[in-house]
Amino acid sequence: MAVIVAAEATALLVAGGWYAYELVTGAPVLSFWGAIFTLALLLAFSAWLYSVGHFLFRGRRWTRAAALVAQLFVLTIGFPTLSAGVVLAGLAMLVPALTAIVLLFDKRVISYASRTGGSPPAL
């Protein structure tokens, strides 16, 4: 499960790198600052997914909800992509997202990701 989330984070990082390359090489954009904001979102979401994957691997409980939200976002982009006729990209988004959603509700993942954290709080 954590591998799927990390692979999605890597895909976002690659997309962010490609987007930055296109921005630097002079690809036309309507708004430069809008493009910078989009790049920042791609990189931030990638970092967030890496964090979710890391802590999911370590068995933290909160990561299941975070991973589910990420998969729902992927589905909202993947279905229109597939419907628009970009089949390969749509399937590349939908198959891992649907697999991750199914795995998130597997008994083994639920029991593994039931840890709440380390030591008790100081206060």
Side-chain angles (χ1 to χ4, degrees):
M1 177 66 222
V3 172
I4 294 172
V5 175
E8 290 173 335
T10 302
L12 273 176
L13 188 62
V14 169
W18 174 74
Y19 193 80
Y21 172 76
E22 290 293 321
L23 191 60
V24 169
T25 59
V29 294
L30 294 176
S31 167
F32 177 75
W33 292 111
I36 295 296
F37 180 71
T38 302
L39 177 62
L41 282 179
L42 282 170
L43 297 177
F45 194 51
S46 175
W48 178 69
L49 272 180
Y50 274 125
S51 175
V52 169
H54 171 73
F55 286 107
L56 182 62
F57 181 74
R58 293 182 64 194
R60 298 296 187 254
R61 179 179 293 173
W62 64 269
T63 57
R64 289 184 58 243
L68 179 63
V69 168
Q71 303 318 311
L72 294 176
F73 280 133
V74 172
L75 289 179
T76 61
I77 296 169
F79 277 118
T81 303
L82 190 64
S83 299
V86 188
V87 177
L88 189 59
L91 288 175
M93 287 185 261
L94 291 177
V95 170
L98 291 173
T99 304
I101 289 172
V102 168
L103 289 175
L104 280 171
F105 293 101
D106 185 63
K107 289 182 213 178
R108 294 169 292 187
V109 174
I110 292 171
S111 66
Y112 181 74
S114 293
R115 303 178 210 165
T116 55
S119 60
L123 296 175

